[in-house]
Amino acid sequence: MQSRSYTNLLELASGNFPVMGRERDKRKMPRIMTVPGSINEFDDEPASSVASDNASSLSMDRIIIVANQLPLKAKRRPDNKSWSFTWDDDSLLLRLKDGFPDDMEVLYVGSLNVDVDGIEQDDVAQLLLERFSCVPTFLPPSLIEKFYTGFCKKQLWPLFHYMLPISADHGGRFDRSMWEAYVSANKLFSQKVIEVINPEDDFVWIHDYHLMVLPTFLRRRFNRLRMGFFIHSPFPSSEIYRTLPVREEILKALLNSDLIGFHTFDYARHFLSCCSRMFGLEYQSKRGYIGLDYYGRTVGIKIMPVGIHMGQIESVMKLADKELRTKELKQQFEGKTVLLGVDDMDIFKGINLKLLAMEQMLKLHPSWQGIVVLIQIANPARGKGGIDLEEIQAEIQESCKRINEEFGKPGYQPIIYIDKPMSVNERVAYYSIAECVVVTAVRDGMNLTPYEYIVCREGIPNSDSDSGPKKSMLVVSEFVGCSPSLSGAIRINPWNVEATAEAMNEAISMGEPEKQMRHEKHYRYVSTHDVAYWSRSFLQDMERSCADHFRKRCWGIGLGFGFRVVSLDPNFRKLSIDDIVSDYLKAKRRAIFLDYDGTVMPQNSIIKTPSREVISLLNTLSGDLNNTVFIVSGRGRESLSRAFSPCRKLGIAAEHGYFIRWCQDVEWETCGQSSDFGWMDMAKPVMKLYTESTDGSSIETKESALVWQYRDADPGFGFAQAKEMLDHLESVLANEPVAVKSGQYIVEEASKGLVAEKIFTSMAENGKQADFVLCVGDDRSDEDMFEIIGNAISRNIISVNTVVFACTVGQKPSKAKYYLDDTNEVILMLQSLAEATDSPALSEDENYGSRYP
């Protein structure tokens, strides 16, 4: 099976993902798809062409586990004519189903670790589906070389472990062709998922950094697909991640998931920081759940370290006990104190740092010479690719030789280095005899070695082989994912060799009761937080995150990796110009409220004065005696008066409604309860203090308010300072007639909502209750108006028969029921109303005062 990599970057940027090449036209479909037709028929259609509104063919939930490799072992039979497949008992993916409901079907999608000839692929796929519920993704060797060995192991893996490609010899420099291969491989995985998926019934759980753009491919096809993603590697700080040239593409793809899981809060915090700094997304925590609002969808953030499979470890312990390997090791190291290291051979495991710490401990505490033995087991490197290990291996060998020559003697070797493949049974036997396990990885996603060690030290349940007290000790790097959950471990900075040496000495010197207490604490956690607990918890959170999928209206927008799904309340819809014009013509008394910045004036416009077109439209609308038209803004009254000086009959509410003027012919009114601004003298020194210490912040002084702006400051620091200042000001101004409001941290007395309420009340008192209301705004302050207008009928401020159009600018969650996409559409809507307005030419001396209180 041949694959065609992306060769045209413009296709990738525009979202025109090419179809991967196929050798054969005929293709066996292992399951009947819920979307009619074959993959070829819709593979290049727009993202919205395949919705998840089709009838389901399954009556119960099913979960599709997608990972780079299937949890299978494959080998050729002796006759070399067929393949033999068995479950890989060491695979984490295989154990996930223990946490799922008994009636939930589990389907695996992934690649095989062997190259299957194209002629055999259909037969192998059918066999794996029928016997193992596995759907293989066959990747050509040439694609694997660039996708896995190239982009995954030489670019993503080092970067996620904090290794920057400062030079070509240390970490791979970014290679665009490898990125294209990564995208191509993810595309192939998506096709396999699409072949078997039932979009309304199935959950999809994607695993690890090999498939980080897969969520976008799947979300393009099925807007309401229930999809989770778990990153098993570390997630680097934003400073490291943002060096990746395709940082936005990957981050946006991950955000197309419904739930994103991490082992630790540190990893999640780094991810959230990237979202904040790159896209301005801020997370919210509600009832213990963390979520990011992304175009109306709440992307859940799950923090849960993975566990081990207790049953598998215990069965291996029984087998090791039968083979008497544990007994042999106890005899071999009788009278010795054994420290144990079990690590994969890679540059981030810090094996040599551990050896140096052992050397330092023997120097500082010579009483341990001849007694303490460090057994270091180096498992073969996982997978192919990665950084060249020859230099690391040579360094380890040199350290072992030096330490053994200096401290060794007949019958005693302080370092025993085992660098050959070891069976699980034998590894368990070594765990059983170790007094302490030492983990000195400089960066590691999770590392389950300490968990396995704790269970092995507990021994076989209900066994009489070892009835003594249970004890275990751990020296664990603080840069390992399992460290936060092991509160009884001695945590170390592996780069500090002296401190690590002292930690090792402390661990083996500790009193027996203390060791037992720490062991009991760890075993209680490990045994209750196993892999089944982890998978069950993730599935429950995925169900909760997807609860509103079929209640909301969803549609996809954007091209390429800019694709995302907008999810909005079913009652939230685009404002129909025809409908509003029709109701406008029927009305006798109309109230119109318009925000300024971001509504009738583009938010980022350099020119901050209204155009001639806007002035003309406002003059036409306000010139109708049946209309009461107001500009409601946070700006000061002087700047608004200058901007709208040509509009004699336009009402203005300045500083979020603290000052109101019904038209140019009447005086400004004050909506605030107090005209005493003595509180400003108290608030200004506090705000100046934070301004001086926050680069990029400033204070804007208005007549009724003080505004602290920090949009030009560092986002994280500015937010933290603003939050601290809010608490400070609330304390200082506790007894003053003002309110401290968050957002841009404005100290003010009025809100836009109070403006609407005052105008409605005044119109009703004059016997001219509004029967048509239009309110348009774009930001958080306008939500106050939407809320007041929404409650106005129940409070008898406006008539039950009043037609209300509360409209926000932009498709986003809002208290308004309507939206327009941008300021251009707002202007078009106002043009339509102006054309429908009966505005006869009136003389300059005509009295308009009858309209105003």
Side-chain angles (χ1 to χ4, degrees):
M1 181 177 183
Q2 300 297 320
S3 170
R4 187 173 74 232
S5 296
Y6 295 117
T7 54
N8 187 345
L9 295 183
L10 292 177
E11 286 187 330
L12 182 64
S14 64
N16 298 321
F17 301 104
V19 183
M20 312 309 298
R22 297 178 176 85
E23 285 189 355
R24 298 172 300 281
D25 293 329
K26 292 185 179 180
R27 196 176 187 86
K28 289 185 181 180
M29 301 299 291
R31 290 182 68 94
I32 296 175
M33 294 165 43
T34 58
V35 180
S38 68
I39 296 295
N40 289 341
E41 291 176 353
F42 64 78
D43 203 50
D44 279 340
E45 290 182 5
S48 59
S49 63
V50 182
S52 57
D53 298 327
N54 304 282
S56 170
S57 63
L58 289 182
S59 59
M60 65 178 182
D61 286 336
R62 179 177 67 170
I63 188 164
I64 300 176
I65 307 293
V66 192
N68 179 45
Q69 285 199 347
L70 292 169
L72 295 172
K73 292 180 180 179
K75 64 178 181 180
R76 278 283 188 185
R77 295 188 186 277
D79 59 9
N80 206 35
K81 293 182 179 179
S82 60
W83 289 95
S84 172
F85 297 95
T86 56
W87 287 115
D88 181 1
D89 291 332
D90 294 333
S91 173
L92 173 69
L93 301 180
L94 183 61
R95 306 300 175 182
L96 296 181
K97 56 187 178 184
D98 292 351
F100 301 150
D102 293 337
D103 61 347
M104 174 170 271
E105 182 185 354
V106 180
L107 192 66
Y108 296 97
V109 176
S111 64
L112 293 167
N113 59 359
V114 293
D115 183 23
V116 178
D117 190 85
I119 300 175
E120 302 174 290
Q121 287 178 5
D122 277 347
D123 293 334
V124 168
Q126 198 71 26
L127 173 70
L128 294 183
L129 181 68
E130 292 173 357
R131 294 189 183 179
F132 298 95
S133 295
C134 290
V135 179
T137 303
F138 298 108
L139 303 177
S142 58
L143 182 62
I144 293 175
E145 181 65 25
K146 285 191 171 184
F147 153 63
Y148 182 76
T149 308
F151 193 74
C152 290
K153 300 302 288 185
K154 291 184 178 177
Q155 296 183 6
L156 285 181
W157 187 73
L159 185 78
F160 278 30
H161 287 75
Y162 287 71
M163 184 176 182
L164 292 174
I166 302 300
S167 68
D169 296 332
H170 294 81
R173 292 283 176 84
F174 180 77
D175 186 327
R176 181 67 60 175
S177 67
M178 291 183 181
W179 161 246
E180 292 168 5
Y182 182 83
V183 174
S184 297
N186 276 248
K187 174 74 171 180
L188 285 175
F189 279 93
S190 74
Q191 290 174 349
K192 287 298 177 181
V193 175
I194 290 170
E195 284 182 11
V196 296
I197 197 168
N198 293 280
E200 280 196 0
D201 295 292
D202 291 349
F203 291 92
V204 176
W205 188 359
I206 305 168
H207 289 266
D208 225 1
Y209 63 93
H210 315 91
L211 302 174
M212 288 195 294
V213 299
L214 179 57
T216 288
F217 286 114
L218 296 179
R219 189 66 72 189
R220 280 168 61 87
R221 300 304 183 196
F222 311 110
N223 291 346
R224 292 186 175 91
L225 182 63
R226 298 178 292 183
M227 179 165 48
F229 195 104
F230 198 94
I231 299 178
H232 293 269
S233 72
F235 197 91
S237 66
S238 64
E239 288 77 12
I240 298 292
Y241 178 80
R242 284 184 289 135
T243 64
L244 187 64
V246 287
R247 60 188 188 178
E248 290 193 6
E249 291 88 331
I250 289 177
L251 203 61
K252 287 178 179 178
L254 287 174
L255 287 170
N256 275 320
S257 305
D258 295 301
L259 182 67
I260 306 173
F262 301 90
H263 286 307
T264 72
F265 176 70
D266 273 351
Y267 302 160
R269 178 168 54 85
H270 295 158
F271 174 81
L272 294 170
S273 177
C274 289
C275 293
S276 173
R277 290 178 176 274
M278 292 170 56
F279 304 141
L281 302 177
E282 297 296 339
Y283 74 90
Q284 292 183 337
S285 182
K286 185 177 181 182
R287 295 183 179 178
Y289 297 107
I290 298 175
L292 282 167
D293 185 74
Y294 189 60
Y295 292 94
R297 292 172 49 244
T298 299
V299 180
I301 303 298
K302 175 74 172 175
I303 303 166
M304 175 66 72
V306 69
I308 61 174
H309 191 273
M310 295 292 293
Q312 183 198 15
I313 297 294
E314 289 170 356
S315 63
V316 171
M317 288 166 58
K318 291 177 183 178
L319 189 58
D321 193 48
K322 287 181 181 179
E323 293 176 353
L324 303 178
R325 183 54 177 152
T326 304
K327 187 176 181 181
E328 292 174 7
L329 290 176
K330 285 182 178 179
Q331 291 174 351
Q332 181 181 347
F333 295 101
E334 187 176 2
K336 301 293 189 292
T337 300
V338 176
L339 297 174
L340 179 65
V342 181
D343 302 280
D344 294 334
M345 176 51 70
D346 73 52
I347 61 174
F348 300 113
K349 291 300 189 286
I351 295 176
N352 199 56
L353 292 173
K354 190 185 305 178
L355 300 177
L356 295 177
M358 176 67 175
E359 181 181 29
Q360 187 73 9
M361 187 187 76
L362 294 176
K363 287 179 180 179
L364 295 175
H365 304 280
S367 60
W368 289 118
Q369 295 177 19
I371 300 175
V372 174
V373 176
L374 172 61
I375 302 174
Q376 177 59 53
I377 299 171
N379 301 317
R382 293 189 183 184
K384 300 176 182 178
I387 311 301
D388 187 9
L389 297 174
E390 291 181 3
E391 185 179 342
I392 299 295
Q393 290 172 327
E395 188 179 15
I396 292 172
Q397 295 284 1
E398 192 278 330
S399 295
C400 290
K401 181 180 178 183
R402 184 185 68 252
I403 296 170
N404 284 334
E405 287 179 353
E406 182 176 355
F407 299 103
K409 55 187 177 182
Y412 172 69
Q413 196 175 1
I415 305 290
I416 297 177
Y417 183 62
I418 304 172
D419 62 346
K420 60 182 180 181
M422 179 179 288
S423 68
V424 179
N425 299 355
E426 189 161 5
R427 190 171 75 236
V428 165
Y430 276 102
Y431 283 143
S432 300
I433 67 161
E435 187 72 17
C436 176
V437 156
V438 184
V439 180
T440 54
V442 296
R443 191 71 58 181
D444 207 352
M446 184 59 191
N447 198 317
L448 294 174
T449 294
Y451 285 20
E452 294 175 349
Y453 165 66
I454 291 164
V455 175
C456 291
R457 291 290 285 181
E458 180 67 17
I460 304 170
N462 304 319
S463 171
D464 297 330
S465 59
D466 186 6
S467 58
K470 315 298 183 182
K471 58 182 180 177
S472 63
M473 281 303 300
L474 292 168
V475 175
V476 178
S477 165
E478 62 186 67
F479 305 120
V480 174
C482 65
S483 175
S485 59
L486 298 171
S487 57
I490 301 175
R491 299 191 182 100
I492 48 99
N493 172 7
W495 297 105
N496 189 336
V497 173
E498 291 79 8
T500 304
E502 289 299 334
M504 292 162 66
N505 173 65
E506 179 186 354
I508 56 181
S509 302
M510 192 174 290
E512 298 298 303
E514 179 73 10
K515 290 180 181 179
Q516 293 168 23
M517 184 190 72
R518 292 179 183 235
H519 170 80
E520 289 172 3
K521 184 177 184 180
H522 287 157
Y523 182 76
R524 190 162 52 248
Y525 175 84
V526 172
S527 60
T528 55
H529 292 72
D530 60 357
V531 66
Y533 177 89
W534 174 72
S535 61
R536 180 166 55 252
S537 179
F538 191 91
L539 178 61
Q540 289 171 349
D541 275 17
M542 187 156 48
E543 287 180 308
R544 179 186 51 78
S545 298
C546 304
D548 291 337
H549 271 25
F550 298 98
R551 186 185 66 82
K552 291 187 174 183
R553 291 187 303 118
C554 302
W555 64 92
I557 60 173
L559 299 175
F561 288 113
F563 176 84
R564 64 271 188 199
V565 169
V566 177
S567 178
L568 298 172
D569 189 279
N571 295 322
F572 185 71
R573 58 188 183 275
K574 191 164 186 175
L575 183 63
S576 167
I577 302 298
D578 292 339
D579 288 348
I580 193 172
V581 169
S582 174
D583 288 321
Y584 179 87
L585 290 171
K586 296 174 185 176
K588 296 180 179 179
R589 290 297 301 174
R590 313 179 189 105
I592 300 174
F593 305 95
L594 302 172
D595 177 40
Y596 183 51
D597 294 291
T599 301
V600 297
M601 170 68 66
Q603 187 69 260
N604 299 320
S605 174
I606 297 175
I607 302 173
K608 294 299 182 182
T609 54
S611 64
R612 291 183 179 179
E613 180 185 23
V614 170
I615 293 294
S616 174
L617 292 173
L618 293 176
N619 269 329
T620 301
L621 291 171
S622 60
D624 190 328
L625 290 174
N626 294 323
N627 292 346
T628 299
V629 184
F630 265 83
I631 289 289
V632 186
S633 173
R635 292 193 179 197
R637 54 180 172 175
E638 289 187 8
S639 64
L640 289 173
S641 294
R642 287 195 302 271
F644 294 101
S645 57
C647 304
R648 285 186 52 228
K649 298 169 284 291
L650 178 69
I652 297 177
E655 298 191 18
H656 290 150
Y658 187 86
F659 297 108
I660 289 182
R661 189 182 70 186
W662 290 81
C663 68
Q664 284 189 12
D665 299 332
V666 298
E667 297 296 321
W668 286 94
E669 300 176 13
T670 301
C671 275
Q673 298 176 355
S674 171
S675 58
D676 180 10
F677 296 107
W679 57 266
M680 283 192 174
D681 295 332
M682 301 168 63
K684 271 187 178 179
V686 175
M687 300 179 79
K688 283 183 179 179
L689 177 67
Y690 287 89
T691 303
E692 291 170 0
S693 60
T694 310
D695 188 35
S697 66
S698 61
I699 301 174
E700 179 185 354
T701 303
K702 299 181 179 181
E703 290 185 73
S704 67
L706 295 174
V707 183
W708 193 68
Q709 304 275 8
Y710 63 94
R711 61 169 59 97
D712 295 327
D714 176 271
F717 183 59
F719 180 78
Q721 288 287 84
K723 187 176 180 181
E724 179 67 24
M725 189 185 73
L726 179 67
D727 293 337
H728 195 161
L729 287 174
E730 284 179 341
S731 174
V732 170
L733 303 174
N735 297 320
E736 299 298 320
V738 292
V740 186
K741 295 194 174 182
S742 61
Q744 293 176 326
Y745 289 85
I746 302 170
V747 183
E748 61 182 356
E749 286 191 81
S751 72
K752 290 185 178 181
L754 297 178
V755 175
E757 186 173 355
K758 179 178 177 63
I759 293 171
F760 288 146
T761 303
S762 297
M763 292 175 68
E765 288 175 351
N766 291 336
K768 299 176 180 179
Q769 195 174 52
D771 56 1
F772 174 95
V773 175
L774 170 64
C775 178
V776 189
D778 75 306
D779 62 20
R780 187 184 303 176
S781 63
D782 298 304
E783 296 297 315
D784 291 336
M785 277 200 296
F786 300 148
E787 185 174 15
I788 288 292
I789 290 171
N791 299 329
I793 294 177
S794 61
R795 296 173 58 189
N796 295 321
I797 299 175
I798 56 179
S799 168
V800 177
N801 298 320
T802 301
V803 179
V804 177
F805 292 93
C807 178
T808 188
V809 181
Q811 301 178 31
K812 56 181 182 289
S814 172
K815 294 174 182 175
K817 290 187 176 181
Y818 302 93
Y819 72 88
L820 291 171
D821 286 326
D822 50 35
T823 56
N824 291 329
E825 290 197 352
V826 174
I827 300 302
L828 288 174
M829 182 266 296
L830 294 178
Q831 284 177 343
S832 299
L833 296 183
E835 291 170 1
T837 297
D838 180 16
S839 180
L842 301 172
S843 62
E844 286 294 322
D845 59 350
E846 186 163 353
N847 181 17
Y848 290 94
S850 60
R851 273 197 289 177
Y852 313 115

